[in-house]
Amino acid sequence: MPYQTPGDDLVALLDAPLTPLSSLSPDRSHLLLLGYEAYPPIADLARPYEKLAGVRFDVTRPGTQRLTRYSNLTLLSTSDGSERPVMGLPAEAIPGGPVWSDDGKYFAFFVENPGGELSLALGEVATATAQILPEISLSDMLAAPIQWIDNQTLFLTLVADLGAAPTRPTAPDGPIVQEASGKQTRAATYQDLLTSPYDEALFTYLATVQLATFDILSQTLTHVGPPVLATSARPSPSGEFVLVTRLVPPFSYRVPYQLFARRTEVWERATGQLVHTIAELPISDEVPQQGVPTGPRGAQWQPNLPATIHWVEALDGGNPLAKVEHRDKVMTLSLTPFAKPHPEGTRVARNERGEVESFRLTHRFAGWDWPDDPHAAIVTEYDRDRRWRTTYYFTWGSWEARKTLFDLSVNDAYGNPGSFITTQKPTGERVMDTREGRVFLAGRGATPEGDRPFLDAFDLSTGEKERVFQCGDTHFETFLAFIGDELLTSRQSRTEPTNFYISSPSSRFPSSPGPSSQSWEEGRGGELEEPPLLDSPSPNPASQDWEEGAGGRRALTHYTDPHPGVTGLHKELVRYERADGVPLSGMLYLPPGIAPDSQPNLPLLLWAYPEEYSDAATAGQVRGSDKTFTRLMGTSPLWFLLRGWAVLMDAAMPIVGDPETMNDTFAEQLVGAATAAINTLTKRGIADPKRVMVGGHSYGAFMTANLLAYAPGLFRAGIARSGAYNRTLTPFGFQSERRSYWEAPEIYHKLSPFTHADKIKDPLLLIHGQADNNPGTHTIQSERFYQALQAHGATARLTLLPHESHGYRARESVLHVLWEMLDWAERFSAGTERD
């Protein structure tokens, strides 16, 4: 059938102008705003690409498959809110995300040319102009294409000159053979893997790059070493060395490239010569379930020293079930004879390679935080058995005297202290922002009344906190960065879209010598967006109430409501309780103009995603806020509001119990949570219990199908998008399930809706991307489940979206998914299928 649309009114709202994405300059003087296209045409997704080693390569560009188009670069001054469009780029050039020089004078980025190749571009803040630098072809295959070494020098990943690409054979040379070694392995169900010698040759050709430096003043390009199949390359803070991880044959047909045989090396930047080999690792296709590879992992530069590297090595064979005193050890290598992390006089044992074992962790290493002190560090470890994380502050060489900063369940939203705010050093590395001897923590601030974002000043030596900023009760406001002694925040409400503000706290802090902000530009696949909010603790009742305007506030941006006709909808945090006593919550939305006390008796869509918890207390904590602005975008279930439905979003579906066995009662806990939600909204007169639909995406789709199997008649129909329904196809665990199929076959069968297809009588709409690359949710999951439902006489519909992966991106696909869901709801909301 051709693509459908859900109606002109919804199409117009989907096409409403989008708020630009943003990136803050390190000197905090400007925000770079980027317009973007949220829904590319299906033709973009249909471009030919190769699925190789877990990556999708667009061989016509060449490069990785890119689905977000940026445009309209604008510089916004944080001092007065003035805007200047960035000029100088050809109209047909498509920019990528910016990477700022430390002094905030320049921002480098790639541009995609009409032919698809990537060129280097340089923007200048003073003139608000950008220019494409000729004859520099960048590669965004595996390693970061652009990094700064200093304010004048860029470190680049270029397309390597390897001649013609391999030619696909017209006939195979022979069969594809794999052979088991006799060792027990628990490989996950990865997708887009290598399948032939031709795949290996093409992957090598596409992913091999040339490292180089570029002087922006002299316009001099210098190659660093020979072409290399690099997965990462990071200059040292001093700029003297490069930490390179590269792949080496043989490759694997079982795992993605991250687990191929690989070497982690240190090169001299000026010559490209090998200085030190940190690791030579074999193919990691025998990693225990929920374990880690053996050998060095996670090597990185210490950001406040010229050239010191730390990495972690497993002491338990990478096996979380092994009974050992320590799971990981931290290793250190200093490449300069001075400014080492261990203070002079500290006794350390160096091996024959000059490497130091700095300390050992009882549990699994979970990450670093770096104070602006080369002799100190913060490390977090994770206890898998308890789902617990502990964070320590210590001095190098004095691990035994470490201080415990935080010690709590990973699920404890109320107790979460937040994340450290960082500042950028002149080398481009990031360390904690320190003012008056204190660092800062920002978090989402979960409370029983909803999230209240905060900023705390924190003394590392004493553990004392002072609340600097706290969101009040009428808006949702989040700290983003220090601007001098003022704060940059994002602020929104139920009726006001997100805008940026400069605010003055009552407690002032002197400006730090360097810029301060959360790192906005890394992660998320290179896509820029408004900085993510962080988990955090409950608010301090004595904290400053910013909703009253204390300290003053001025707006930097003035974005308006893109769909004022929708803004009048009711949004409410509802709380209720499961029959077993576990407290639950969800965000209730009602159509515009409908009051909750009018007992509207509306059809209800319950949309959810199950989460696992070790105890009822953390499972029952409230997460989310009813003070945020509701923007209708993408395939959100909230579009149902414009067709007269009530929507309970993020309805809590906690699975509580021992992490080893909690799925034994997965189905029962789901049914209990869903029943409690329906009963609560029915008693209030909001929902008609005969017209309730359930839906979810991915694990939420798995949930939906199980609810229809184990609670027949509770729902009028279901919508399941991109789910997994036959757990024998993910035999080495799923989500947080720790047992394999052979250890708990009864659980895999019990929780596979495919095996209960004969019991599912409520109508079920299945939607899946034909190119889903998410581990575990192969498209065949929906195809075989639909065939089983059809064979047993169920009412079901299967929609496969061409060229779409786990999430749906193309404008045609998004509109069609909305049409499918709303049409399905119309057919069954009245209790009988429409003629």
Side-chain angles (χ1 to χ4, degrees):
M1 68 180 297
Y3 286 107
Q4 302 294 311
T5 60
D8 292 344
D9 57 336
L10 270 61
V11 173
L13 293 176
L14 187 82
D15 291 339
L18 299 169
T19 301
L21 305 178
S22 58
S23 177
L24 182 66
S25 65
D27 66 353
R28 300 157 290 172
S29 65
H30 288 83
L31 281 165
L32 183 62
L33 307 179
L34 294 89
Y36 70 103
E37 182 182 44
Y39 316 111
I42 191 66
D44 276 15
L45 274 69
R47 292 171 64 107
Y49 63 85
E50 297 284 350
K51 304 175 182 179
L52 301 171
V55 183
R56 294 185 171 181
F57 295 97
D58 186 333
V59 295
T60 65
R61 280 187 165 109
T64 54
Q65 190 181 38
R66 293 186 294 277
L67 301 179
T68 298
R69 291 185 180 183
Y70 299 120
S71 61
N72 304 325
L73 303 180
T74 302
L75 285 165
L76 170 70
S77 170
T78 58
S79 62
D80 59 15
S82 61
E83 295 186 7
R84 294 178 294 156
V86 177
M87 310 299 291
L89 292 180
E92 65 275 11
I94 302 173
V99 183
W100 288 93
S101 64
D102 173 68
D103 58 12
K105 294 181 179 180
Y106 298 100
F107 51 94
F109 56 101
F110 65 71
V111 294
E112 182 181 330
N113 299 311
E117 67 276 5
L118 301 182
S119 294
L120 175 65
L122 186 67
E124 185 178 24
V125 172
T127 60
T129 60
Q131 61 172 326
I132 298 177
L133 303 175
E135 300 179 0
I136 298 180
S137 296
L138 297 175
S139 169
D140 69 339
M141 293 299 186
L142 303 180
I146 303 171
Q147 302 173 68
W148 288 90
I149 294 177
D150 53 46
N151 291 324
Q152 183 177 330
T153 312
L154 287 165
F155 186 78
L156 305 175
T157 301
L158 309 179
V159 174
D161 184 6
L162 302 178
T167 302
R168 187 184 298 274
T170 56
D173 294 330
I176 306 301
V177 177
Q178 299 187 56
E179 182 175 341
S181 64
K183 297 181 180 179
Q184 291 187 355
T185 63
R186 296 188 173 196
T189 54
Y190 298 112
Q191 300 196 53
D192 294 354
L193 302 179
L194 300 178
T195 62
S196 67
Y198 168 74
D199 281 357
E200 295 185 57
L202 184 59
F203 173 73
T204 300
Y205 178 84
L206 293 173
T208 297
V209 296
Q210 176 64 60
L211 304 178
T213 61
F214 181 73
D215 187 300
I216 65 173
L217 298 182
S218 67
Q219 303 275 290
T220 302
L221 183 70
T222 305
H223 286 182
V224 177
V228 60
L229 215 172
T231 63
S232 67
R234 179 71 175 172
S236 64
S238 67
E240 184 180 358
F241 304 101
V242 182
L243 180 62
V244 178
T245 297
R246 62 184 181 92
L247 304 180
V248 294
F251 299 148
S252 171
Y253 292 8
R254 297 185 60 202
V255 293
Y257 78 87
Q258 296 93 334
L259 299 176
F260 284 4
R262 55 210 179 274
R263 293 171 62 98
T264 298
E265 302 170 335
V266 181
W267 295 3
E268 188 177 57
R269 194 199 94 194
T271 64
Q273 295 297 309
L274 176 66
V275 174
H276 190 91
T277 299
I278 292 175
E280 296 183 73
L281 302 176
I283 296 171
S284 301
D285 59 356
E286 298 179 353
V287 178
Q289 187 176 11
Q290 296 188 353
V292 298
T294 56
R297 69 182 197 275
Q300 67 175 80
W301 298 107
Q302 182 169 330
N304 47 25
L305 284 175
T308 294
I309 303 171
H310 302 288
W311 65 90
V312 182
E313 296 184 30
L315 296 170
D316 58 1
N319 184 1
L321 300 181
K323 303 300 182 183
V324 294
E325 183 179 0
H326 297 97
R327 295 216 174 271
D328 279 334
K329 65 178 179 180
V330 172
M331 301 293 295
T332 299
L333 173 68
S334 293
L335 296 167
T336 55
F338 51 86
K340 298 176 182 178
H342 301 83
E344 291 298 327
T346 302
R347 299 185 63 182
V348 294
R350 302 184 188 278
N351 62 21
E352 67 280 2
R353 292 154 47 85
E355 301 167 349
V356 175
E357 181 183 319
S358 294
F359 57 88
R360 296 189 173 195
L361 292 167
T362 303
H363 302 291
R364 191 69 73 208
F365 170 82
W368 294 107
D369 289 289
W370 297 103
D372 194 10
D373 175 359
H375 299 309
I378 293 173
V379 67
T380 298
E381 65 176 6
Y382 171 65
D383 181 350
R384 171 185 176 272
D385 293 340
R386 293 196 300 154
R387 291 184 173 174
W388 203 265
R389 66 182 174 96
T390 306
T391 300
Y392 303 105
Y393 172 58
F394 67 97
T395 299
W396 293 101
S398 303
W399 174 249
E400 297 303 322
R402 65 190 180 274
K403 298 178 180 179
T404 300
L405 298 181
F406 315 121
D407 188 42
L408 71 163
S409 166
V410 295
N411 298 128
D412 186 0
Y414 293 171
N416 194 319
S419 297
F420 289 106
I421 300 302
T422 60
T423 182
Q424 185 167 308
K425 296 181 72 65
T427 59
E429 303 286 342
R430 304 194 71 86
V431 297
M432 295 178 194
D433 191 337
T434 304
R435 298 165 183 242
E436 293 186 345
R438 293 184 291 180
V439 297
F440 297 86
L441 290 157
R444 198 173 179 98
T447 78
E449 289 72 41
D451 292 346
R452 299 290 187 271
F454 71 92
L455 174 71
D456 281 345
F458 184 69
D459 191 314
L460 289 172
S461 60
T462 65
E464 295 180 354
K465 292 182 182 180
E466 177 189 355
R467 184 123 309 172
V468 178
F469 160 81
Q470 179 78 58
C471 174
D473 295 329
T474 63
H475 287 69
F476 188 82
E477 188 167 13
T478 306
F479 168 83
L480 301 178
F482 286 109
I483 307 292
D485 57 3
E486 296 182 307
L487 308 182
L488 173 66
T489 65
S490 68
R491 176 179 167 92
Q492 59 184 299
S493 71
R494 294 176 184 173
T495 58
E496 302 169 281
T498 300
N499 277 286
F500 292 114
Y501 289 83
I502 298 293
S503 303
S504 300
S506 56
S507 299
R508 292 183 176 270
F509 295 89
S511 300
S512 64
S516 167
S517 71
Q518 299 175 35
S519 180
W520 298 13
E521 299 160 359
E522 299 179 0
R524 301 272 182 158
E527 294 187 10
L528 295 173
E529 56 184 51
E530 185 175 312
L533 302 176
L534 308 170
D535 291 333
S536 49
S538 57
N540 180 347
S543 64
Q544 178 184 355
D545 185 355
W546 280 51
E547 297 306 325
E548 301 305 320
R553 177 188 291 111
R554 69 179 189 274
L556 283 182
T557 58
H558 304 274
Y559 301 122
T560 58
D561 188 343
H563 41 48
V566 178
T567 306
L569 58 81
H570 176 78
K571 183 177 183 180
E572 174 190 349
L573 178 66
V574 294
R575 286 175 284 188
Y576 46 100
E577 189 173 283
R578 201 163 65 184
D580 60 2
V582 175
L584 306 173
S585 63
M587 199 64 66
L588 174 66
Y589 295 81
L590 299 181
I594 301 296
D597 56 0
S598 65
Q599 297 189 324
N601 202 39
L602 299 171
L604 171 69
L605 174 62
L606 188 154
W607 196 268
Y609 188 97
E611 301 282 358
E612 294 91 354
Y613 300 90
S614 298
D615 61 274
T618 55
Q621 291 178 348
V622 173
R623 297 163 175 86
S625 172
D626 59 2
K627 305 298 188 297
T628 55
F629 183 77
T630 301
R631 174 69 191 263
L632 299 182
M633 292 188 66
T635 56
S636 168
L638 296 181
W639 292 100
F640 274 67
L641 297 167
L642 303 187
R643 294 296 182 261
W645 285 67
V647 178
L648 185 63
M649 277 292 292
D650 301 322
M653 292 283 171
I655 309 303
V656 184
D658 184 333
E660 301 294 336
T661 59
M662 62 172 53
N663 279 332
D664 292 0
T665 57
F666 179 90
E668 294 82 356
Q669 294 193 59
L670 283 185
V671 173
T675 301
I678 295 171
N679 289 344
T680 297
L681 297 182
T682 298
K683 290 178 181 178
R684 291 181 56 182
I686 289 173
D688 179 353
K690 296 181 180 180
R691 295 187 294 164
V692 180
M693 289 183 62
V694 63
H697 189 93
S698 193
Y699 206 53
F702 170 70
M703 169 207 75
T704 296
N706 270 299
L707 281 170
L708 297 190
Y710 284 98
L714 183 62
F715 298 99
R716 186 66 191 91
I719 299 172
R721 302 186 330 205
S722 298
Y725 311 105
N726 183 349
R727 283 305 172 190
T728 67
L729 297 178
T730 56
F732 296 108
F734 55 90
Q735 207 71 357
S736 295
E737 174 56 55
R738 298 179 175 182
R739 298 163 292 184
S740 73
Y741 167 78
W742 295 272
E743 293 169 316
E746 67 286 354
I747 297 303
Y748 279 71
H749 283 280
K750 177 182 178 182
L751 299 186
S752 292
F754 176 84
T755 64
H756 306 295
D758 57 331
K759 301 180 180 66
I760 296 178
K761 304 303 179 184
D762 300 319
L764 179 59
L765 171 63
L766 297 169
I767 301 176
H768 216 120
Q770 276 192 315
D772 193 334
N773 67 344
N774 186 56
T777 57
H778 298 64
T779 307
I780 198 173
Q781 289 272 7
S782 286
E783 293 174 323
R784 294 294 181 263
F785 186 33
Y786 171 74
Q787 291 169 351
L789 292 169
Q790 182 185 44
H792 288 94
T795 300
R797 179 181 175 90
L798 172 64
T799 296
L800 299 178
L801 303 170
H803 307 296
E804 293 289 356
S805 186
H806 194 59
Y808 317 137
R809 296 296 305 274
R811 183 174 184 275
E812 293 89 341
S813 301
V814 169
L815 290 171
H816 188 86
V817 168
L818 295 179
W819 177 84
E820 289 278 2
M821 295 196 304
L822 294 170
D823 183 72
W824 195 251
E826 184 182 347
R827 289 170 62 177
F828 298 105
S829 63
T832 58
E833 185 172 354
R834 182 188 61 193
D835 293 334

